[in-house]
Amino acid sequence: MRRGLVMEGGAMRGMFTAGVTDVFMESGIEFDGAIGVSAGACFGCNYVTKQPGRAIRYNLRFCRDPRYSGVRTFLRTGDLYGAEFCYRTIPEKLDPFDYEMFEKNPMEFYVVCTDVATGEPVYHRMVHARAGEMEYLQASASMPLVSRPVRAGDKLLLDGGMSDSIPLKYFESIGYDRNVVILTRPADYVKEANGMMLLIRLALHRYPKLADAMAHRHEVYNAQTAYARERARAGAALVIEPKAALPVSRVEHDAAKLRACYEMGREAGRERLGEVRAFLAED
């Protein structure tokens, strides 16, 4: 039996996931592997390095820093989140990412991106998390329209949430048969069709299959949440989600709101801790 952790994205809603996973790490909960999408990847990689508290720490520290995110960064670089600052300066200098532990830890870690040419998901197992692999993290969290495509390997990639927001089926397909799934929307959330598709198709005219993926994203997302709950009823998954809509925007500069979202995650993690232990201990 292989025990997996599946982490949805959602930009700064990922602070909820960080709260849940920090409680897990502090409590000695271990998985054989994890897979993250967008913020779920960017914050979830700290599980492999065993660095609880890192995600909330640097987000609180830099949420108002124009080098981190904002209109100024977008106008200067074409990316809403500053790539050099987020994926090099912070992990290498300002809040060091433990690359050595990432490489030593036998826990597998996968990142989901979307191929801009095909609109299909790309699943990449990160082994070193250094130059050449950080690009997959960057791509996974690069939101369309406000980010440039990122070259990683031989592909141009963007936000994994456009093609596979909740990669539970993929993780099951590679052998993870007992999975904890962390969602960043409450149970009653239903994604609706994007009302800006005409604008999106114009903006993505070079990538029509990517635009097609975005047009059908709500259908795929709703099917994936339904599948996660179906697997939970079957005893093969355990779903953790917020009780109410999270109090953050996709790009959040208010430290108090980020902290509140994170604390909601910690509360959910504590409440479900015994259940998670029992679930992962079952044969």
Side-chain angles (χ1 to χ4, degrees):
M1 181 176 294
R2 301 184 80 195
R3 297 162 176 82
L5 176 64
V6 179
M7 294 170 284
E8 182 188 2
M12 285 303 131
R13 294 198 311 273
M15 283 290 95
F16 175 84
T17 301
V20 176
T21 55
D22 278 358
V23 168
F24 286 0
M25 282 190 276
E26 293 161 3
S27 303
I29 301 293
E30 295 187 352
F31 296 89
D32 299 305
I35 186 166
V37 183
S38 190
C42 290
F43 303 156
C45 62
N46 294 299
Y47 214 119
V48 188
T49 61
K50 300 183 179 181
Q51 290 179 281
R54 181 173 178 270
I56 183 62
R57 184 172 62 239
Y58 74 72
N59 274 281
L60 292 180
R61 180 179 176 186
F62 300 117
C63 63
R64 291 186 178 275
D65 193 316
R67 296 172 296 173
Y68 187 54
S69 67
V71 175
R72 189 186 310 176
T73 301
F74 176 68
L75 293 175
R76 188 177 71 250
T77 68
D79 295 312
L80 191 61
Y81 283 86
E84 184 66 27
F85 189 72
C86 292
Y87 300 101
R88 283 120 189 123
T89 304
I90 290 177
E92 293 175 8
K93 299 177 182 178
L94 301 179
D95 199 319
F97 181 79
D98 194 338
Y99 293 98
E100 183 178 355
M101 176 56 73
F102 190 96
E103 294 174 7
K104 287 168 51 180
N105 192 337
M107 177 182 177
E108 296 180 351
F109 187 73
Y110 292 80
V111 177
V112 184
C113 307
T114 300
D115 187 327
V116 301
T118 66
E120 295 294 323
V122 172
Y123 307 98
H124 176 75
R125 182 185 172 189
M126 294 183 66
V127 178
H128 304 292
R130 297 181 187 271
E133 286 205 312
M134 272 295 180
E135 284 76 5
Y136 286 95
L137 278 182
Q138 179 186 343
S140 185
S142 292
M143 296 180 286
L145 307 186
V146 292
S147 305
R148 296 170 297 171
V150 178
R151 181 164 294 282
D154 61 352
K155 295 180 173 63
L156 283 176
L157 306 172
L158 277 174
D159 188 352
M162 290 185 288
S163 56
D164 195 351
S165 295
I166 307 167
L168 175 58
K169 280 189 177 181
Y170 173 76
F171 230 32
E172 290 178 335
S173 76
I174 61 171
Y176 286 90
D177 48 9
R178 186 165 293 274
N179 294 289
V180 174
V181 182
I182 304 177
L183 305 180
T184 59
R185 298 283 197 181
D188 61 356
Y189 176 78
V190 177
K191 185 175 284 296
E192 298 181 352
N194 195 318
M196 299 177 62
M197 277 312 304
L198 179 58
L199 174 62
I200 290 170
R201 286 195 182 278
L202 288 172
L204 297 178
H205 66 277
R206 295 175 57 194
Y207 309 115
K209 292 184 179 180
L210 182 65
D212 287 343
M214 293 187 69
H216 294 284
R217 186 185 176 200
H218 65 293
E219 299 167 350
V220 174
Y221 182 86
N222 293 334
Q224 288 183 322
T225 56
Y227 180 76
R229 295 188 176 96
E230 174 188 321
R231 297 300 287 157
R233 288 191 295 271
L238 188 151
V239 176
I240 298 175
E241 58 206 343
K243 296 176 181 177
L246 296 171
V248 290
S249 61
R250 291 183 66 82
V251 182
E252 185 58 69
H253 300 293
D254 187 325
K257 290 182 179 180
L258 291 171
R259 170 64 75 178
C261 185
Y262 172 77
E263 291 299 335
M264 290 173 70
R266 289 192 65 90
E267 181 181 0
R270 288 192 295 266
E271 286 182 356
R272 305 292 296 279
L273 189 58
E275 190 179 350
V276 169
R277 288 189 191 278
F279 174 73
L280 296 177
E282 293 176 9
D283 293 329

